Amino acid sequence: QSALTQPASVSGSPGQSITISCTGTSSDVGSYNLVSWYQQHPGKAPKLMIYEGSKRPSGVSNRFSGSKSGNTASLTISGLQAEDEADYYCCSYAGGSTWVFGGGTKLTVL
Amino acid sequence: QVTLRESGPALVKPTQTLTLTCTFSGFSLSTSAMCVSWIRQPPGKALEWLARIDWDDDKYYSTSLKTRLTISKDTSKNQVVLTMTNMDPVDTATYYCARMMDHGDYRGAFDIWGQGTMVTVSS
């Protein structure tokens, strides 16, 4: 269960789009369509933003979208807003009813 | 409305056993597909999945920590308990419990989280 690999930080200006990658292996991201993404503001609990790779929970802005190609999943945020500044974590099913998170990405809105 | 709340000691000594309780409302852990996991986050670091218990009492653990972890549930009290033995300063973290559904809406994702409880391991 090695952690999924995410860039430590990404940044973008208001209105721009950014993409955060999440690279795993053929044993987790590559084998299952069970990647989820979480937004975490400082001092707060994580919030589910994307599940099953590309589905948005009710109430999550359609500016957030997810995709997957091979062993890499991606989260794209379009029309960046100041409130999007937060840490983002990916998570994947890793088989055997176990789960693995990514190392987290700090998004800065310039 | 679904809510989860973690409770437990804020400070434990090295080698002691930590016991955390997750008290939830708005769903039942006796309902098919319902699961509760524990996840932790050391200060300034990433999330780490620890354990999960299912509606049918199946239990699953992180490979790296399974010798130290025990998860259990009390369906009548709507509670899930996690024990972690032989605590070490590296176990200092905020511990969260979170709901997951094995199928149906939000399958395979932690859709509702508790606020977290900070545990410091220090002598």
Side-chain angles (χ1 to χ4, degrees):
Chain A
Q1 283 178 339
S2 298
L4 307 176
T5 300
Q6 298 181 233
S9 63
V10 298
S11 62
S13 300
Q16 288 186 331
S17 293
I18 62 96
T19 296
I20 299 171
S21 62
C22 169
T23 301
T25 69
S26 58
S27 297
D28 39 60
V29 174
S31 286
Y32 308 99
N33 195 27
L34 288 175
V35 173
S36 50
W37 288 90
Y38 302 86
Q39 177 191 65
Q40 186 179 35
H41 287 109
K44 301 294 187 182
K47 174 188 176 184
L48 176 65
M49 305 302 284
I50 296 288
Y51 67 102
E52 290 186 57
S54 60
K55 298 180 180 179
R56 270 189 316 275
S58 173
V60 171
S61 171
N62 59 10
R63 298 185 297 105
F64 291 82
S65 61
S67 63
K68 190 186 88 167
S69 177
N71 295 338
T72 299
S74 299
L75 173 71
T76 297
I77 308 173
S78 60
L80 267 181
Q81 299 180 359
E83 68 211 48
D84 299 332
E85 184 162 295
D87 293 328
Y88 291 84
Y89 293 91
C90 61
C91 180
S92 174
Y93 180 62
S97 291
T98 64
W99 303 87
V100 60
F101 282 93
T105 298
K106 180 177 179 60
L107 169 62
T108 301
V109 180
L110 302 170
Chain B
Q1 180 188 8
V2 173
T3 64
L4 301 97
R5 186 183 76 249
E6 306 85 353
S7 58
L11 179 66
V12 297
K13 296 185 186 324
T15 76
Q16 285 187 336
T17 294
L18 171 69
T19 299
L20 296 173
T21 300
C22 174
T23 303
F24 56 87
S25 63
F27 70 98
S28 172
L29 243 189
S30 60
T31 300
S32 177
M34 290 295 176
C35 317
V36 171
S37 276
W38 284 94
I39 297 152
R40 71 178 179 179
Q41 184 175 37
K45 296 189 177 181
L47 300 165
E48 179 184 18
W49 178 81
L50 300 176
R52 172 179 127 167
I53 190 164
D54 295 355
W55 75 98
D56 57 2
D57 211 36
D58 280 347
K59 302 162 187 174
Y60 307 97
Y61 298 99
S62 162
T63 303
S64 60
L65 291 168
K66 62 181 177 181
T67 61
R68 299 174 53 205
L69 297 173
T70 303
I71 192 170
S72 62
K73 65 181 174 74
D74 185 330
T75 305
S76 65
K77 292 183 179 178
N78 281 352
Q79 291 182 333
V80 171
V81 174
L82 180 76
T83 62
M84 180 180 291
T85 60
N86 195 23
M87 293 293 285
D88 183 272
V90 300
D91 297 313
T92 294
T94 296
Y95 287 75
Y96 295 98
C97 59
R99 187 182 75 165
M100 174 182 282
M101 287 180 282
D102 218 16
H103 54 81
D105 289 343
Y106 310 146
R107 184 176 75 102
F110 305 104
D111 68 326
I112 307 293
W113 295 62
Q115 63 191 17
T117 186
M118 177 66 193
V119 177
T120 300
V121 184
S122 175
S123 55

